[in-house]
Amino acid sequence: MTKTTASDTAQLIIDGKTHTLPIVRGTEGDAAIDISNLLRDTGYITLDTGYKNTGSCSSAITYLDGNKGILRYRGYPIEELADKCAFIEVAYLLLHNKLPNSRELEDFKVLLERFALLHEDMIHFFDHFPPNASPMSILSVMVNSLCNYYPEMGDDPLQDLNITAARLISKIRTIAAFSYKKSLGHPLVYPRADLSYCGNFLNMMFDKPVKPYTVRPEVVAALNKLLILHADHEQNCSTSTVRLVGSAGVNLYASISAGINALWGPLHGGANEAVIDMLELIYADDNNFEKYINKAKDKNDPFRLSGFGHRVYRTFDPRGTIIKKACDEILEVLNVSDPLLDIARQLEEIALRDEYFIERNLYPNVDFYSGIIYRAIGIPTNMFTVMFALGRLPGWIAQWKEQREDPGTRIGRPRQVYTGEPARKFVPLEERT
Ligand code: CMC
C-alpha cells in the first residue's frame, strides 16, 4: 500500500485492481487510512491482532506521541497539569474540554460533595464478599450496581450525564475507601464536606475512632498528582472496553464497570500491583537481579518485568518520569526508607543497559514507581489498581460521552478470519464414534 503525497488518498492494489482509500488527518499530523468501506468495495477485511495498528475512533480528548514521549489532555501538557492542577480540575477539563473557572470549579465541588454518600442499602453489599475478596471485583460490582440506585440515565442519558459523571467520580472514592474499611472490619468513615477530593479519600481510608488521621498536604499533593497522571490515556484496553460496551447502548455505570474489569489485568492497570510483587520477590531472593532479568528475557518463561514496556511509548513514558521524581520527593518528605525503591532503581538501571530491553524500546512505564508512592502513603498493595481506576474514571466517562454524542457512532463489532472446520455433515448421537 502506498500513500500518495499529492492528495489525501491511498491506493491499495488487490489482484491487479487499484482501490482508492481516503486518508483522515488529525490536528497533530497523525494520519489514518479509512478502510471502513474496504469489505464492501473489495471483499477483504483487514487483520490486526491486538489492534496494534488499528484506529477505532477519532477523538478530541487525549493526544500522545509515543516517539517523542508527549502526552496532553485536551491540548494541555501532562507535566503542567500534574504540577498545577487539582485532580477535579483535570476531571472537569476532560469532561468539558475547558479548564473550569472559579465558579465552575465551585459548582463542580458542590456536586461532588452532594453525591459523596453511598445509599445505605448498598453498604450491606460489602458484607457478602469473602474477607479476602479482590477490591477490584468489589469495585466493579458496586459501580455496576449504582444504576439500580441512581437510575437517572433513562431515555436521554446525555441530558443527565453531568450529574451521573459527578455522582460516579464522587462515589467511586467512597466505595473504594469503604471496601478497605470493611476488609479490615473497621467502622466506616463517612465523607466530609470540608476536605478536598483527595483529602476526603485519605481520611475515609485511614481515620479511626481511636486514632484520628491527619490529612497532610504533601500526601494529598502526591495522590493528586498520581490521579491526574492516570486520568486518561486515549484508546487503551480499558477505555476501548468502555467504548465497546457503551457502543451497544448500555448505561454509563455498566460500561465503566466493564472498564474496571479490563483494567484489572496485570498487563494493564494490574501491573502496579505486579511491580511490587516482583520487587518483593527480588528482595527476598537476595537482590538476584540477574536471575529475574534473565527470566524476563526467556521466551519460555511467562515472567516479564512488570512496569516495563508500553504499546505506544517507544522512548519514554512521560508519566513515568514525573512519577519517579514525585516518588523521591514524597519518600523524603515522609522520611520513609523503602528498600523496594532501591531495588526498583537498580533494576531500572540494569534493564536500561541491557541489549534486550534497548532493542525492544522497553522503558519504565507509569506503573513502575507509582506503587512505591502508594505504599509510602499507606495504600495496601491489593488496592493499587483501584487507585488507578479512581484516576482513570474521568477519562473513561469523557470517552463514553464523546462516543455517545457522535451521531456517527455504530455498535463496535470487529471481524475475524475463520480458521475452523469447513462445513461438515451432522452426525446423530447414536452414530458418533
Ligand atoms: N519484560 C520482558 N519483555 C518484554 C516486556 C517486559 N515487560 N514487555 C515487552 N517485552 C518484549 C516482548 O516479549 C516482545 O519480545 P519479542 O519481540 O522478542 O517477542 C517485545 O518486547 C514486544 O512486546 P509485546 O508484548 O509485543 O508488546 P505489546 O505492545 O503487545 O505489550 C505491554 C505492551 C505493556 C503489555 C508489555 O510491554 C508488557 O507486558 N509489560 C509488562 C506489563 C506492564 O507493565 N503493563 C503496564 C503498561 S502501562 C499502564 C497501562 O497501560 O495500564
Side-chain angles (χ1 to χ4, degrees), residues 356-390:
Y356 173 96
F357 293 90
I358 295 170
E359 270 169 19
R360 291 168 178 76
N361 299 310
L362 302 172
Y363 298 88
N365 59 46
V366 68
D367 293 317
F368 196 65
Y369 285 101
S370 62
I372 296 177
I373 303 186
Y374 287 135
R375 265 162 75 90
I377 64 180
I379 310 283
T381 313
N382 71 350
M383 280 197 63
F384 288 1
T385 314
V386 168
M387 301 309 296
F388 194 149
L390 255 62

Short mmCIF file of all heavy atoms in Angstrom, two decimals, residues 356-390:
data_model
loop_
_atom_site.label_atom_id
_atom_site.label_comp_id
_atom_site.label_asym_id
_atom_site.label_seq_id
_atom_site.Cartn_x
_atom_site.Cartn_y
_atom_site.Cartn_z
N TYR A 356 18.65 -6.49 25.28
CA TYR A 356 17.29 -6.99 25.06
C TYR A 356 16.27 -5.85 25.22
O TYR A 356 15.40 -5.65 24.38
CB TYR A 356 16.99 -8.11 26.07
CG TYR A 356 15.55 -8.60 26.05
CD1 TYR A 356 15.18 -9.72 25.32
CD2 TYR A 356 14.55 -7.94 26.79
CE1 TYR A 356 13.86 -10.17 25.31
CE2 TYR A 356 13.23 -8.38 26.78
CZ TYR A 356 12.89 -9.50 26.04
OH TYR A 356 11.58 -9.93 26.03
N PHE A 357 16.42 -5.08 26.30
CA PHE A 357 15.45 -4.01 26.57
C PHE A 357 15.68 -2.81 25.65
O PHE A 357 14.74 -2.16 25.23
CB PHE A 357 15.53 -3.60 28.06
CG PHE A 357 15.06 -4.70 28.97
CD1 PHE A 357 15.95 -5.66 29.46
CD2 PHE A 357 13.73 -4.84 29.29
CE1 PHE A 357 15.52 -6.70 30.27
CE2 PHE A 357 13.28 -5.88 30.10
CZ PHE A 357 14.18 -6.82 30.59
N ILE A 358 16.97 -2.57 25.31
CA ILE A 358 17.29 -1.45 24.42
C ILE A 358 16.68 -1.70 23.04
O ILE A 358 15.96 -0.86 22.49
CB ILE A 358 18.81 -1.23 24.32
CG1 ILE A 358 19.38 -0.82 25.68
CG2 ILE A 358 19.17 -0.19 23.26
CD1 ILE A 358 20.89 -0.82 25.78
N GLU A 359 16.95 -2.91 22.51
CA GLU A 359 16.47 -3.24 21.16
C GLU A 359 14.95 -3.14 21.04
O GLU A 359 14.41 -2.77 20.01
CB GLU A 359 16.82 -4.70 20.84
CG GLU A 359 18.16 -4.89 20.18
CD GLU A 359 18.52 -6.37 20.15
OE1 GLU A 359 17.62 -7.23 20.30
OE2 GLU A 359 19.72 -6.65 20.01
N ARG A 360 14.27 -3.49 22.10
CA ARG A 360 12.80 -3.52 22.05
C ARG A 360 12.17 -2.24 22.59
O ARG A 360 10.96 -2.16 22.77
CB ARG A 360 12.28 -4.72 22.85
CG ARG A 360 12.59 -6.04 22.18
CD ARG A 360 12.34 -7.22 23.11
NE ARG A 360 12.60 -8.49 22.45
CZ ARG A 360 13.81 -8.98 22.20
NH1 ARG A 360 14.88 -8.29 22.57
NH2 ARG A 360 13.96 -10.13 21.59
N ASN A 361 12.98 -1.23 22.85
CA ASN A 361 12.46 0.04 23.38
C ASN A 361 11.62 -0.15 24.64
O ASN A 361 10.52 0.38 24.76
CB ASN A 361 11.61 0.78 22.35
CG ASN A 361 12.39 1.12 21.11
OD1 ASN A 361 13.47 1.68 21.20
ND2 ASN A 361 11.86 0.74 19.96
N LEU A 362 12.15 -0.91 25.58
CA LEU A 362 11.38 -1.16 26.81
C LEU A 362 11.90 -0.25 27.92
O LEU A 362 13.07 -0.32 28.30
CB LEU A 362 11.50 -2.63 27.22
CG LEU A 362 11.01 -3.64 26.17
CD1 LEU A 362 11.34 -5.07 26.59
CD2 LEU A 362 9.52 -3.49 25.94
N TYR A 363 11.02 0.61 28.42
CA TYR A 363 11.37 1.60 29.45
C TYR A 363 10.37 1.48 30.60
O TYR A 363 9.29 0.93 30.42
CB TYR A 363 11.28 3.02 28.88
CG TYR A 363 12.24 3.26 27.75
CD1 TYR A 363 11.89 2.97 26.44
CD2 TYR A 363 13.51 3.76 28.01
CE1 TYR A 363 12.77 3.17 25.41
CE2 TYR A 363 14.41 3.97 26.98
CZ TYR A 363 14.04 3.67 25.68
OH TYR A 363 14.93 3.86 24.67
N PRO A 364 10.70 2.06 31.77
CA PRO A 364 9.72 2.04 32.85
C PRO A 364 8.44 2.78 32.42
O PRO A 364 8.55 3.84 31.79
CB PRO A 364 10.39 2.78 34.00
CG PRO A 364 11.83 2.85 33.67
CD PRO A 364 11.94 2.75 32.17
N ASN A 365 7.31 2.24 32.74
CA ASN A 365 6.05 2.91 32.42
C ASN A 365 5.44 3.51 33.69
O ASN A 365 6.05 3.49 34.76
CB ASN A 365 5.10 1.97 31.68
CG ASN A 365 4.79 0.72 32.50
OD1 ASN A 365 4.49 0.81 33.69
ND2 ASN A 365 4.86 -0.45 31.86
N VAL A 366 4.22 3.99 33.57
CA VAL A 366 3.54 4.69 34.67
C VAL A 366 3.45 3.84 35.94
O VAL A 366 3.41 4.36 37.05
CB VAL A 366 2.13 5.14 34.19
CG1 VAL A 366 1.21 3.95 33.96
CG2 VAL A 366 1.49 6.13 35.11
N ASP A 367 3.47 2.52 35.76
CA ASP A 367 3.26 1.63 36.91
C ASP A 367 4.53 1.30 37.67
O ASP A 367 4.47 0.68 38.73
CB ASP A 367 2.61 0.32 36.44
CG ASP A 367 1.19 0.54 35.94
OD1 ASP A 367 0.46 1.29 36.60
OD2 ASP A 367 0.82 -0.04 34.90
N PHE A 368 5.70 1.65 37.13
CA PHE A 368 6.93 1.15 37.75
C PHE A 368 7.17 1.75 39.13
O PHE A 368 7.53 1.05 40.07
CB PHE A 368 8.13 1.39 36.81
CG PHE A 368 9.34 0.59 37.20
CD1 PHE A 368 9.32 -0.80 37.12
CD2 PHE A 368 10.49 1.20 37.65
CE1 PHE A 368 10.44 -1.56 37.49
CE2 PHE A 368 11.61 0.45 38.02
CZ PHE A 368 11.58 -0.93 37.93
N TYR A 369 6.99 3.06 39.26
CA TYR A 369 7.27 3.70 40.56
C TYR A 369 6.00 4.09 41.33
O TYR A 369 6.10 4.48 42.49
CB TYR A 369 8.14 4.95 40.36
CG TYR A 369 9.59 4.63 40.05
CD1 TYR A 369 10.08 4.68 38.76
CD2 TYR A 369 10.47 4.24 41.06
CE1 TYR A 369 11.41 4.37 38.48
CE2 TYR A 369 11.80 3.93 40.79
CZ TYR A 369 12.26 4.00 39.50
OH TYR A 369 13.58 3.68 39.23
N SER A 370 4.83 4.01 40.68
CA SER A 370 3.62 4.50 41.37
C SER A 370 3.34 3.71 42.65
O SER A 370 2.94 4.27 43.66
CB SER A 370 2.41 4.46 40.43
OG SER A 370 2.14 3.14 40.05
N GLY A 371 3.58 2.40 42.60
CA GLY A 371 3.30 1.55 43.77
C GLY A 371 4.13 1.95 44.98
O GLY A 371 3.67 1.82 46.12
N ILE A 372 5.33 2.45 44.73
CA ILE A 372 6.18 2.82 45.87
C ILE A 372 5.61 4.06 46.56
O ILE A 372 5.63 4.18 47.78
CB ILE A 372 7.64 3.01 45.40
CG1 ILE A 372 8.11 1.63 44.90
CG2 ILE A 372 8.52 3.53 46.52
CD1 ILE A 372 9.47 1.58 44.33
N ILE A 373 5.03 4.95 45.76
CA ILE A 373 4.34 6.12 46.37
C ILE A 373 3.12 5.64 47.16
O ILE A 373 2.90 6.04 48.30
CB ILE A 373 3.90 7.14 45.29
CG1 ILE A 373 5.11 7.60 44.47
CG2 ILE A 373 3.18 8.32 45.94
CD1 ILE A 373 4.82 8.71 43.48
N TYR A 374 2.33 4.77 46.53
CA TYR A 374 1.13 4.29 47.24
C TYR A 374 1.49 3.63 48.56
O TYR A 374 0.84 3.84 49.58
CB TYR A 374 0.34 3.31 46.36
CG TYR A 374 -0.39 3.96 45.20
CD1 TYR A 374 -0.35 3.41 43.92
CD2 TYR A 374 -1.14 5.11 45.38
CE1 TYR A 374 -1.01 4.00 42.85
CE2 TYR A 374 -1.81 5.72 44.33
CZ TYR A 374 -1.74 5.16 43.07
OH TYR A 374 -2.41 5.74 42.02
N ARG A 375 2.56 2.81 48.53
CA ARG A 375 3.00 2.16 49.78
C ARG A 375 3.35 3.20 50.83
O ARG A 375 2.97 3.09 51.99
CB ARG A 375 4.27 1.35 49.51
CG ARG A 375 4.07 -0.09 49.22
CD ARG A 375 5.32 -0.63 48.55
NE ARG A 375 6.44 -0.84 49.45
CZ ARG A 375 6.68 -1.97 50.10
NH1 ARG A 375 5.85 -2.99 49.96
NH2 ARG A 375 7.73 -2.11 50.88
N ALA A 376 4.10 4.23 50.38
CA ALA A 376 4.58 5.24 51.33
C ALA A 376 3.41 5.98 51.98
O ALA A 376 3.50 6.40 53.14
CB ALA A 376 5.50 6.22 50.62
N ILE A 377 2.31 6.13 51.24
CA ILE A 377 1.19 6.87 51.86
C ILE A 377 0.17 5.93 52.51
O ILE A 377 -0.88 6.36 52.95
CB ILE A 377 0.52 7.86 50.85
CG1 ILE A 377 -0.14 7.14 49.68
CG2 ILE A 377 1.52 8.86 50.33
CD1 ILE A 377 -0.81 8.10 48.70
N GLY A 378 0.49 4.66 52.55
CA GLY A 378 -0.30 3.70 53.34
C GLY A 378 -1.34 2.89 52.58
O GLY A 378 -2.11 2.15 53.18
N ILE A 379 -1.37 3.02 51.26
CA ILE A 379 -2.37 2.26 50.49
C ILE A 379 -1.91 0.80 50.40
O ILE A 379 -0.75 0.56 50.01
CB ILE A 379 -2.52 2.82 49.04
CG1 ILE A 379 -2.73 4.34 49.04
CG2 ILE A 379 -3.59 2.07 48.26
CD1 ILE A 379 -4.08 4.84 49.40
N PRO A 380 -2.78 -0.15 50.76
CA PRO A 380 -2.34 -1.55 50.66
C PRO A 380 -2.17 -1.99 49.20
O PRO A 380 -2.87 -1.49 48.32
CB PRO A 380 -3.48 -2.32 51.33
CG PRO A 380 -4.66 -1.44 51.25
CD PRO A 380 -4.16 -0.02 51.22
N THR A 381 -1.24 -2.92 48.98
CA THR A 381 -0.91 -3.33 47.61
C THR A 381 -2.13 -3.78 46.82
O THR A 381 -2.25 -3.45 45.63
CB THR A 381 0.13 -4.47 47.65
OG1 THR A 381 1.16 -4.10 48.55
CG2 THR A 381 0.73 -4.73 46.28
N ASN A 382 -3.04 -4.51 47.47
CA ASN A 382 -4.17 -5.03 46.68
C ASN A 382 -5.17 -3.93 46.29
O ASN A 382 -6.16 -4.20 45.60
CB ASN A 382 -4.87 -6.20 47.40
CG ASN A 382 -5.64 -5.76 48.63
OD1 ASN A 382 -5.53 -4.61 49.07
ND2 ASN A 382 -6.42 -6.66 49.19
N MET A 383 -4.88 -2.69 46.71
CA MET A 383 -5.75 -1.59 46.26
C MET A 383 -5.10 -0.68 45.22
O MET A 383 -5.68 0.32 44.79
CB MET A 383 -6.19 -0.75 47.47
CG MET A 383 -7.33 -1.42 48.21
SD MET A 383 -8.17 -0.30 49.29
CE MET A 383 -8.84 0.92 48.20
N PHE A 384 -3.89 -1.03 44.80
CA PHE A 384 -3.20 -0.15 43.84
C PHE A 384 -4.00 0.02 42.54
O PHE A 384 -4.08 1.11 41.99
CB PHE A 384 -1.82 -0.70 43.48
CG PHE A 384 -0.79 -0.60 44.57
CD1 PHE A 384 -1.09 -0.07 45.82
CD2 PHE A 384 0.50 -1.05 44.36
CE1 PHE A 384 -0.14 0.01 46.82
CE2 PHE A 384 1.47 -0.97 45.35
CZ PHE A 384 1.14 -0.44 46.58
N THR A 385 -4.57 -1.07 42.06
CA THR A 385 -5.28 -0.97 40.77
C THR A 385 -6.61 -0.22 40.95
O THR A 385 -7.08 0.45 40.02
CB THR A 385 -5.46 -2.36 40.14
OG1 THR A 385 -4.22 -3.06 40.23
CG2 THR A 385 -5.83 -2.26 38.67
N VAL A 386 -7.15 -0.30 42.15
CA VAL A 386 -8.34 0.51 42.47
C VAL A 386 -7.96 2.00 42.37
O VAL A 386 -8.72 2.82 41.84
CB VAL A 386 -8.86 0.17 43.89
CG1 VAL A 386 -9.88 1.18 44.36
CG2 VAL A 386 -9.43 -1.24 43.92
N MET A 387 -6.76 2.33 42.83
CA MET A 387 -6.31 3.72 42.74
C MET A 387 -6.19 4.17 41.28
O MET A 387 -6.53 5.29 40.92
CB MET A 387 -4.95 3.90 43.44
CG MET A 387 -4.93 3.52 44.90
SD MET A 387 -6.22 4.29 45.84
CE MET A 387 -5.78 6.00 45.68
N PHE A 388 -5.70 3.25 40.46
CA PHE A 388 -5.61 3.53 39.02
C PHE A 388 -7.02 3.81 38.48
O PHE A 388 -7.25 4.78 37.72
CB PHE A 388 -4.97 2.31 38.33
CG PHE A 388 -4.49 2.51 36.92
CD1 PHE A 388 -3.38 1.79 36.46
CD2 PHE A 388 -5.10 3.38 36.04
CE1 PHE A 388 -2.91 1.95 35.16
CE2 PHE A 388 -4.63 3.54 34.73
CZ PHE A 388 -3.55 2.81 34.29
N ALA A 389 -7.99 3.01 38.91
CA ALA A 389 -9.37 3.18 38.43
C ALA A 389 -9.94 4.54 38.86
O ALA A 389 -10.63 5.21 38.08
CB ALA A 389 -10.25 2.05 38.94
N LEU A 390 -9.62 4.95 40.09
CA LEU A 390 -10.09 6.26 40.57
C LEU A 390 -9.57 7.36 39.66
O LEU A 390 -10.28 8.29 39.30
CB LEU A 390 -9.56 6.51 41.99
CG LEU A 390 -10.54 6.38 43.16
CD1 LEU A 390 -11.08 4.98 43.26
CD2 LEU A 390 -9.87 6.78 44.47
#
